[in-house]
Amino acid sequence: MKFLEKIKSRKLSKTLAAVAAGGMLFFGAGNLAEADSNSEFAFRQAYLASAQDNRVFRQNIVFFGTTFHVDINSSGQILRDASMRMNGNINWEYTNPSNNITQNNTMPFYLTQNGAEMTLYVQRQNKWSKFLLPGIPAGFANDLKSTDVSTLQENLQLVKDVELFRENDTQQIFNITFDGKKLSDRMQSYSKAQDTTELSADEVATQQRFFNNLNAALQTTDVKCTWTVDKVKNQTVTAVIDFTDLMRAYAKNVLDDSAAGKIVLSDEDRMLMDTIGYYSEFHYSISYSDAKLNFNLPSAAQKAAVNNNVFQDLFNDMTTSVNKR
């Protein structure tokens, strides 16, 4: 099986799906063992006072390289049992380096989770397709939303540094650095807890390589976040995270594995990893509101056929960042 096909496998990683699709890494990871400064104490105070949050969230993902630009704008809601609904648009812009002609494509999508799997419904050229993803484990969802003091204290251990950047009567803005090595330990605990009984030996090996590369990236990469909190309601307003360094470190570890002979990459796979590792950026933001939105799927989407290659052409376009360098 080609590497590209493996990274798109629905069995690849429940944790990856939780981070990329659920957009909740920040809320599974508050921290600070010692509150020995005003900023650290203010952060601990804000984090421990935050209530379980079932409000509607709005998220934006920006992923771009030298020839492409992706904006994913969506709204959703995740409940304590890990059930989730989300909808929005994937906006894809690609500039052909051969003629400098730019093409734009807007793809409506819905995302649902019930049980162990997520299903992504995407509309392309007026046709709906299903794309299967691993689901967020209920235990992970509970960690994200827990108000249990012991869980919150464990989460606080993940924070390496915090700065109270700005404060007024109603809001606080914190610049937070999460410790990559401690995040790696947390990710490893989730990977060990995964049920692999339904996976083939090849899928188990592929999944393990994914976690090995992710953990290697986290061992050398901290994650930075800007968190804005409502002081009056004790609720998150926004969180902004830059995943660029982590994404690049992951791709470079894949390339290092290839150079060491641990895996075999096709030319296409290598160009994709080059694009991600050297020419791309990945930014994420989330905000909350009390809006009441309709997340019901259109009837045409409910009848869609499974197509796990629905984004293959976009992967191919991305590799031109390397083809034409």
Side-chain angles (χ1 to χ4, degrees):
M1 185 187 295
K2 292 171 59 181
F3 180 78
L4 260 180
E5 293 168 343
K6 290 178 179 179
I7 68 172
K8 292 182 289 182
S9 169
R10 70 189 183 93
K11 298 290 188 178
L12 183 59
S13 165
K14 291 181 179 179
T15 303
L16 177 64
V19 174
M24 296 292 188
L25 176 64
F26 170 72
F27 300 98
N31 159 0
L32 287 176
E34 298 292 337
D36 58 2
S37 74
N38 292 337
S39 290
E40 292 170 351
F41 184 81
F43 174 75
R44 179 187 288 273
Q45 186 179 46
Y47 180 70
L48 294 178
S50 296
Q52 178 183 324
D53 206 332
N54 289 323
R55 290 176 299 159
V56 169
F57 61 84
R58 302 180 187 275
Q59 65 177 10
N60 175 250
I61 295 172
V62 178
F63 176 42
F64 62 89
T66 58
T67 61
F68 68 91
H69 193 288
V70 186
D71 282 294
I72 303 176
N73 298 292
S74 61
S75 298
Q77 193 169 31
I78 179 171
L79 305 182
R80 191 178 181 87
D81 65 353
S83 59
M84 179 172 62
R85 286 286 179 99
M86 187 185 304
N87 62 26
N89 290 301
I90 302 171
N91 301 300
W92 171 264
E93 181 181 286
Y94 169 68
T95 301
N96 189 322
S98 299
N99 53 26
N100 288 323
I101 294 177
T102 299
Q103 297 178 336
N104 296 282
N105 188 4
T106 298
M107 296 164 276
F109 77 91
Y110 286 77
L111 188 77
T112 66
Q113 171 164 329
N114 288 296
E117 289 184 341
M118 288 183 188
T119 303
L120 174 66
Y121 303 82
V122 60
Q123 186 183 52
R124 301 197 62 187
Q125 298 176 342
N126 296 317
K127 180 181 178 181
W128 286 94
S129 298
K130 291 181 184 178
F131 185 83
L132 302 178
L133 295 165
I136 301 173
F140 189 27
N142 285 335
D143 281 353
L144 300 179
K145 293 175 167 293
S146 178
T147 56
D148 177 72
V149 172
S150 61
T151 301
L152 296 178
Q153 288 176 332
E154 288 179 4
N155 289 341
L156 284 171
Q157 302 306 313
L158 301 175
V159 175
K160 187 175 187 178
D161 187 41
V162 64
E163 172 198 11
L164 179 56
F165 175 70
R166 186 176 300 158
E167 181 176 19
N168 57 33
D169 291 340
T170 60
Q171 288 188 348
Q172 292 171 312
I173 301 175
F174 295 94
N175 289 328
I176 306 163
T177 301
F178 294 115
D179 191 312
K181 292 181 179 180
K182 292 182 179 179
L183 283 172
S184 175
D185 292 341
R186 179 68 64 89
M187 290 296 182
Q188 289 185 64
S189 69
Y190 285 125
S191 68
K192 291 177 181 177
Q194 290 192 106
D195 182 4
T196 60
T197 55
E198 296 183 5
L199 302 185
S200 68
D202 183 61
E203 286 175 320
V204 172
T206 299
Q207 191 174 85
Q208 189 58 54
R209 282 195 295 271
F210 165 79
F211 279 115
N212 288 344
N213 283 309
L214 177 60
N215 289 325
L218 284 169
Q219 286 292 323
T220 60
T221 310
D222 294 331
V223 178
K224 297 183 182 299
C225 172
T226 299
W227 180 40
T228 301
V229 60
D230 186 318
K231 292 170 56 177
V232 179
K233 297 181 179 180
N234 295 323
Q235 292 177 330
T236 294
V237 179
T238 61
V240 180
I241 309 172
D242 186 351
F243 285 120
T244 299
D245 289 343
L246 181 61
M247 177 187 68
R248 290 184 175 185
Y250 175 88
K252 290 173 183 177
N253 276 298
V254 172
L255 292 171
D256 288 344
D257 277 356
S258 175
K262 297 179 181 179
I263 59 172
V264 177
L265 298 179
S266 69
D267 290 341
E268 180 188 23
D269 299 339
R270 189 184 309 280
M271 287 188 292
L272 179 61
M273 289 298 103
D274 275 341
T275 296
I276 294 173
Y278 295 96
Y279 301 98
S280 302
E281 293 191 22
F282 190 106
H283 303 275
Y284 174 83
S285 64
I286 186 170
S287 60
Y288 280 82
S289 76
D290 295 314
K292 303 295 183 182
L293 301 179
N294 181 7
F295 298 114
N296 293 333
L297 274 69
S299 58
Q302 294 180 12
K303 300 174 184 177
V306 173
N307 179 8
N308 287 327
N309 294 313
V310 67
F311 297 120
Q312 180 62 50
D313 58 322
L314 306 187
F315 279 104
N316 293 339
D317 286 345
M318 286 168 58
T319 64
T320 61
S321 293
V322 177
N323 280 333
K324 301 297 181 180
R325 65 182 175 182

